Amino acid sequence: MSIGVVIADDQELVRSGFAMILESQPDITVLAEASDGAEAVAAVTEHRPDVVLLDIRMPGMDGIEAAREICARTSSRALMLTTFDQDDYVYDALYAGASGFLLKDVRRDDLVHAVRVVAAGESLLAPTVTRRLISDLTARRPRAAVAPTGLDALTGRERETLVLLGRGLSNAEIATALVLSEHTVKTHVSNVLTKLGLRDRVQAVIAAYESGLISPGSP
């Protein structure tokens, strides 16, 4: 099944370049292009893509605000693109609901891989990168994302799974730690996301820290 994509960037050459790369793939279809955040929201609302590539800096509504609106209103997953790599952009993108973050000088193969990963419901960030980013993020920002009542909905095993997600472990690593099959771990991860209303593993990592289940710097 083809992965539908919307590309939003205020530079036409950038948009067309990304579109050409993605359209060359047999499993990816570019449904629309947009030059600012408002156009991106409209295009996503109309076409319902699996993934929307969003430039962070655009005139009018920027990519962060567009991601916030898109992630709140649709099931499309946001993959952020920027020429900047300052931490605050990464933090703001994650809080807006983005599932991935790439610099615009990304290699062709890495761009294609990122779209496929995000479309499959995974976060783009590697576990070690996620752990480092979110640990720093939650040390700087107040905890309020997940209410205690939300955590009460989790079983004991699901809570353990959330803790290990927060530490940046992959499904295989969680399976080893809990002496479970990867299939069972996938079920626990899915249940955690569903019960806490989370979109993906990145948000699960944030939730683990902000709920107080683990603290920044914990092993």
Side-chain angles (χ1 to χ4, degrees):
M1 187 171 65
S2 181
I3 298 171
V5 178
V6 166
I7 302 172
D9 194 293
D10 60 335
Q11 298 180 40
E12 184 178 359
L13 286 177
V14 173
R15 291 199 311 272
S16 60
F18 283 135
M20 184 168 56
I21 291 171
L22 295 176
E23 280 283 7
S24 70
Q25 303 301 310
D27 59 335
I28 298 176
T29 301
V30 176
L31 302 174
E33 297 180 25
S35 61
D36 59 37
E39 287 185 9
V41 172
V44 169
T45 300
E46 178 180 355
H47 297 284
R48 299 290 173 168
D50 300 290
V51 178
V52 53
L53 298 182
L54 286 168
D55 182 22
I56 285 185
R57 289 196 172 186
M58 292 186 290
M61 180 187 290
D62 64 19
I64 299 292
E65 183 57 35
R68 186 174 294 112
E69 192 163 335
I70 288 168
C71 292
R73 291 169 42 185
T74 76
S75 61
S76 298
R77 298 184 177 276
L79 178 55
M80 310 306 295
L81 292 160
T82 183
T83 54
F84 307 95
D85 60 355
Q86 289 97 328
D87 285 347
D88 281 344
Y89 288 126
V90 179
Y91 300 151
D92 290 342
L94 294 178
Y95 265 96
S99 298
F101 190 94
L102 289 176
L103 296 181
K104 284 187 180 179
D105 62 0
V106 62
R107 296 184 307 171
R108 173 190 297 259
D109 290 347
D110 290 339
L111 173 65
V112 173
H113 174 71
V115 168
R116 289 174 177 151
V117 167
V118 171
E122 297 290 341
S123 60
L124 183 65
L125 303 175
T128 53
V129 176
T130 302
R131 183 167 58 243
R132 184 176 67 251
L133 281 173
I134 306 305
S135 177
D136 187 32
L137 179 156
T138 51
R140 295 165 40 180
R141 300 198 179 192
R143 299 183 176 189
V146 179
T149 53
L151 292 179
D152 288 344
L154 302 180
T155 65
R157 191 61 97 183
E158 288 165 357
R159 188 180 288 245
E160 289 177 324
T161 299
L162 178 57
V163 170
L164 296 178
L165 282 172
R167 291 174 180 163
L169 272 63
S170 66
N171 283 355
E173 291 169 332
I174 294 173
T176 298
L178 298 181
V179 195
L180 299 171
S181 70
E182 283 194 54
H183 176 75
T184 300
V185 169
K186 287 180 181 179
T187 299
H188 288 324
V189 171
S190 177
N191 289 343
V192 167
L193 298 182
T194 299
K195 289 181 178 181
L196 298 184
L198 306 173
R199 292 174 63 87
D200 52 35
R201 297 173 74 95
V202 169
Q203 289 197 338
V205 175
I206 295 175
Y209 278 95
E210 295 196 331
S211 65
L213 278 181
I214 57 177
S215 58
S218 63

